[in-house]
């Protein structure tokens, strides 16, 4: 396992094809401050530059995934500073959403405000039964600022998103599962292992095909169906330029198992 020591608020390690970024600011329940966003930016560059990476996991230490943006940093911002903070955070979150490989949020506790929004940027959310979700911003006198008003309705539907955002209600993990906000629930003890099992399953597939599928889904969700189908067709055709497609199909025909090289 490779582990990187260059970060104050993030633990980062890579094993085989799976990288993990663990937010490590337990005194503030992993609330996101500007320094953490800067570290995230650097960490994402590292993940992008390592060709071996096939899946990224994002999680938090202790009892919290992320309890939101750091309220103590935001309390005295003026309009201009709030805009800059929101833009910077949104830029980092968009990088996560568009990362070339799938990102799994492994949600070990509070996912509130900016923490819920971080989970929403990820491709897949696995949560432990003690996790709590919510967008309490209106109770602090602000709107969600890292795109929950855009991503939550796309995931759970407009009605439920409006209810959660207008009331600021905190919901438990079972309700989050029921409304489609998370993909899967586990016990707290099994969360890491269950996340790794899913990450491993993804990492065993043909990486270029997985990455093309991610691009097709993301682009398709932002366009009309005709354009989305065209986008998918182009990605599908691109897969036929890869060694993995030839090997994968030949192995199937010979009833053999193949290991994908990502080429
Ligand atoms: N920020 C800063 N510190 C936080 C924090 C947060 N979001 N959440 C918790 N902490 C700190 C607490 O202040 C406390 O610090 P000490 O007093 O020990 O120094 C420590 O973490 C432990 O918290 P508690 O003592 O409160 O722990 P409990 O178990 O009793 O309660 C809790 C846990 C998660 C229910 C509670 O801490 C809580 O309600 N936290 C705040 C949750 C919240 O409201 N999150 C949403 C934050 S607002 C924008 C960009 C982004 C955003 C908005 C606009 N633009 C600029 C456009 C995003 C906003 C948000 O995320």
């Amino acid at each position: 396992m490779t582990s990187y020591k260059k970060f104050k608020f993030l633990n980062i390690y890579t094993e085989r094809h799976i990288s993990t970024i663990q937010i490590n600011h337990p005194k503030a329940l992993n609330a996101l401050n500007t320094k953490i966003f800067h570290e995230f930016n650097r960490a994402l560059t590292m993940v992008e530059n390592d060709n071996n990476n096939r899946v990224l996991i994002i999680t938090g230490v202790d009892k919290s995934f992320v309890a939101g943006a750091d309220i103590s940093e935001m309390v005295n911002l003026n309009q201009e500073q709030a805009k800059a903070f929101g833009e910077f955070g949104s830029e980092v979150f968009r990088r996560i959403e568009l990362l070339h490989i799938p990102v799994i949020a492994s949600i070990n506790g509070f996912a509130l405000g900016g923490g819920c929004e971080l989970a929403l940027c990820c491709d897949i959310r696995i949560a432990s039964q003690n996790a709590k979700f919510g967008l309490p911003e209106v109770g602090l006198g602000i709107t969600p600022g890292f795109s929950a008003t855009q991503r939550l309705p796309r995931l759970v539907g407009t009605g439920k998103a409006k209810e959660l955002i207008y009331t600021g209600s905190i919901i438990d993990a079972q309700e989050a599962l029921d409304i489609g906000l998370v993909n899967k629930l586990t016990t707290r003890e099994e969360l890491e292992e269950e996340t790794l099992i899913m990450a491993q399953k993804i990492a065993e597939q043909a990486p270029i095909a997985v990455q093309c599928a991610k691009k097709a889904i993301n682009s398709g969700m932002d366009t009309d169906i005709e354009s989305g189908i065209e986008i998918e067709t182009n990605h599908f055709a691109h897969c036929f330029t890869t060694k993995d497609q030839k090997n994968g199909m030949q192995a199937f025909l010979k009833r053999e198992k193949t290991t994908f090289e990502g080429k």
Side-chain angles (χ1 to χ4, degrees):
M1 183 189 298
T2 314
S3 125
Y4 302 91
K5 306 273 180 222
K6 293 178 253 171
F7 297 88
K8 183 167 178 221
F9 294 111
L10 302 179
N11 301 327
I12 303 177
Y13 39 97
T14 299
E15 191 163 21
R16 284 180 289 178
H17 297 299
I18 301 165
S19 281
T20 301
I21 298 179
Q22 183 182 44
I23 300 147
N24 181 15
H25 187 27
K27 274 198 295 194
L29 301 180
N30 300 328
L32 300 171
N33 58 38
T34 307
K35 285 191 178 131
I36 297 181
F37 279 121
H38 279 290
E39 290 199 356
F40 242 108
N41 244 347
R42 281 172 43 218
L44 290 171
T45 302
M46 277 172 44
V47 171
E48 279 167 354
N49 290 343
D50 183 345
N51 289 334
N52 274 322
N53 278 324
R54 295 186 181 182
V55 182
L56 172 66
I57 295 168
I58 298 179
T59 191
V61 296
D62 290 352
K63 65 173 184 176
S64 185
F65 177 67
V66 168
D70 191 325
I71 298 170
S72 64
E73 191 175 309
M74 286 190 297
V75 60
N76 290 320
L77 297 184
N78 62 31
Q79 186 178 359
E80 202 179 314
Q81 292 162 330
K83 192 157 183 275
F85 180 67
E87 279 172 356
F88 182 45
S90 295
E91 204 181 291
V92 176
F93 280 16
R94 185 75 172 141
R95 266 190 91 184
I96 294 169
E97 185 170 45
L98 297 180
L99 196 73
H100 65 297
I101 54 175
V103 185
I104 303 177
S106 185
I107 302 158
N108 52 304
F110 296 114
L112 304 177
C116 188
E117 292 172 301
L118 173 59
L120 286 168
C121 299
C122 299
D123 296 277
I124 293 168
R125 285 152 290 280
I126 303 180
S128 55
Q129 283 152 351
N130 66 313
K132 302 262 187 244
F133 296 82
L135 293 149
E137 282 90 342
V138 291
L140 295 165
I142 55 174
T143 65
F146 296 137
S147 312
T149 61
Q150 305 308 305
R151 292 194 181 100
L152 190 62
R154 283 168 165 81
L155 189 64
V156 304
T158 316
K160 202 69 203 175
K162 285 181 172 172
E163 179 191 327
L164 287 174
I165 291 171
Y166 297 169
T167 63
S169 300
I170 310 285
I171 60 170
D172 63 21
Q174 184 59 52
E175 190 172 348
L177 180 72
D178 293 343
I179 64 171
L181 176 50
V182 300
N183 297 63
K184 189 179 168 104
L185 282 196
T186 76
T187 61
R188 177 68 187 90
E189 296 71 37
E190 287 169 334
L191 178 65
E192 190 179 340
E193 196 191 333
E194 288 291 331
T195 306
L196 280 171
I197 289 171
M198 188 173 308
Q200 194 60 48
K201 176 104 179 127
I202 295 170
E204 283 165 11
Q205 312 305 315
I208 296 170
V210 170
Q211 290 163 26
C212 282
K214 173 168 178 169
K215 282 189 205 133
I217 295 168
N218 278 356
S219 312
M221 290 302 289
D222 292 333
T223 189
D224 61 280
I225 183 104
E226 297 300 337
S227 312
I229 290 168
E230 194 181 329
I231 290 166
E232 185 192 83
T233 304
N234 289 332
H235 285 297
F236 171 77
H238 174 71
C239 291
F240 286 77
T241 67
T242 67
K243 205 170 156 189
D244 283 345
Q245 175 269 325
K246 299 285 175 283
N247 289 345
M249 290 193 176
Q250 277 160 7
F252 173 81
L253 295 173
K254 290 186 207 154
R255 299 190 183 275
E256 290 171 0
K257 203 170 162 24
T258 191
T259 305
F260 292 110
E261 293 174 43
K263 290 180 184 159

